[in-house]
Amino acid sequence: MKTIAERLKSASDSIRQLCQTVNLPPDQVALLAVSKTKPIEDIRCAYEAGQRLFGENYVQEGVEKIQALDDLTDIQWHFIGPLQSNKTRAVATHFDWMQSLDRIKIAKRLNDQRPEDKPPLQVLIQINISHDQRKSGLENDTELFALAEQIAALPNLNLRGLMAIPAAGLDDAQQLAVFIRMRRLFDGLRARFPQADTLSMGMSGDMHNAIKAGSTMVRLGTAIFGARSNAAQ
Ligand SMILES: *Cc1c(COP(=O)(O)O)cnc(C)c1O
């Protein structure tokens, strides 16, 4: 079995090669290691191998890990799961990035609850690019621009771009088409909000098409930490 360090190395190599294939600079795409359901020791292993960006889906689990690893001061923690309004304070207090923002109510709470001694929370707006009923996210660009304007007015949030999770079960061509639509939406956003520099799309199974379409951050769980147990998604 491969170690976490070996898997990180091969994931980074693949990302670099994919960048080359589409004529992007090799460091164009950031790697977020998605450590949900995985133990603290796995995160330490990845950290020791040089990984600094980590993503968590569940508030309670994420906060426990952040606190247990607070000696690793240069980790950047990304919240990537659905967020209910009664849990915003924990995210505002402990995380550096929030990738799944899709309503103004949550944005305002995060803004109000962000501690004064921390830099603004870096946020991505989640787009429901496949119009999947079971996924959160905005459905069209009118909604997107309205929310982006409102977020831009909040001093403790910094709008950095977009995130999406395509529906499962798409074939290769459909997947690529969805990612290309996301890239167009992102380019439109960037034209109005130049600080938006991050397009978070691509997971272990589809990062190839995501990078081809212009992703700037892939979120890899299985490819780095191995399969998750069936009990947890
Ligand atoms: C679990 C998860 C990932 C990682 O998925 P893998 O297929 O294991 O790479 C990425 N993004 C989000 C939002 C997730 O919930």
Side-chain angles (χ1 to χ4, degrees):
M1 229 178 73
K2 283 191 169 182
T3 65
I4 288 171
E6 285 165 347
R7 292 205 205 94
L8 264 175
K9 166 111 184 19
S10 57
S12 313
D13 288 347
S14 309
I15 292 170
R16 217 170 304 117
Q17 279 162 15
L18 286 165
C19 285
Q20 236 169 27
T21 321
V22 290
N23 288 317
L24 285 172
D27 57 354
Q28 192 73 14
V29 177
L31 194 176
L32 181 74
V34 177
S35 43
K36 63 182 177 203
T37 80
K38 298 294 178 178
I40 307 272
E41 306 84 73
D42 286 9
I43 301 176
R44 279 199 189 274
C45 278
Y47 181 90
E48 276 156 26
Q51 180 65 29
R52 292 296 179 270
L53 312 189
F54 291 88
E56 287 285 337
N57 281 60
Y58 311 103
V59 177
Q60 169 105 9
E61 178 189 339
V63 169
E64 280 166 19
K65 288 173 175 173
I66 292 170
Q67 287 172 333
L69 293 164
D70 70 350
D71 55 314
L72 310 180
T73 51
D74 58 346
I75 286 192
Q76 204 180 77
W77 290 102
H78 292 234
F79 186 77
I80 61 173
L83 182 60
Q84 296 165 335
S85 55
N86 62 346
K87 302 224 173 115
T88 50
R89 185 176 296 280
V91 171
T93 305
H94 297 284
F95 282 83
D96 304 299
W97 286 61
M98 156 63 175
Q99 296 206 2
S100 46
L101 193 52
D102 66 353
R103 356 194 242 295
I104 186 62
K105 180 183 174 196
I106 300 278
K108 283 185 173 147
R109 290 178 67 92
L110 290 169
N111 179 72
D112 295 344
Q113 294 166 344
R114 184 69 171 168
E116 273 175 24
D117 60 342
K118 295 219 167 177
L121 185 65
Q122 311 299 310
V123 300
L124 303 181
I125 296 176
Q126 182 172 356
I127 305 294
N128 189 353
I129 196 68
S130 307
H131 305 292
D132 182 340
Q133 292 302 315
R134 290 155 306 175
K135 293 250 182 324
S136 36
L138 300 186
E139 300 271 348
N140 61 55
D141 41 354
T142 312
E143 281 180 3
L144 165 61
F145 284 109
L147 180 58
E149 294 286 355
Q150 291 174 302
I151 291 173
L154 298 173
N156 300 325
L157 302 187
N158 189 14
L159 178 61
R160 295 293 294 272
L162 303 178
M163 185 272 255
I165 311 168
L170 303 181
D171 68 28
D172 204 61
Q174 290 168 329
Q175 214 177 60
L176 184 61
V178 163
F179 286 138
I180 289 172
R181 280 217 315 274
M182 272 303 296
R183 177 67 206 205
R184 293 214 180 102
L185 214 48
F186 175 63
D187 288 337
L189 181 76
R190 250 193 343 178
R192 301 247 291 262
F193 302 92
Q195 77 276 25
D197 57 1
T198 304
L199 177 57
S200 170
M201 60 183 193
M203 313 200 289
S204 299
D206 60 12
M207 77 162 181
H208 163 88
N209 280 326
I211 291 175
K212 237 196 223 174
S215 166
T216 74
M217 182 182 288
V218 292
R219 307 179 307 268
L220 306 185
T222 314
I224 306 299
F225 297 108
R228 291 178 290 275
S229 69
N230 291 336
Q233 287 306 299

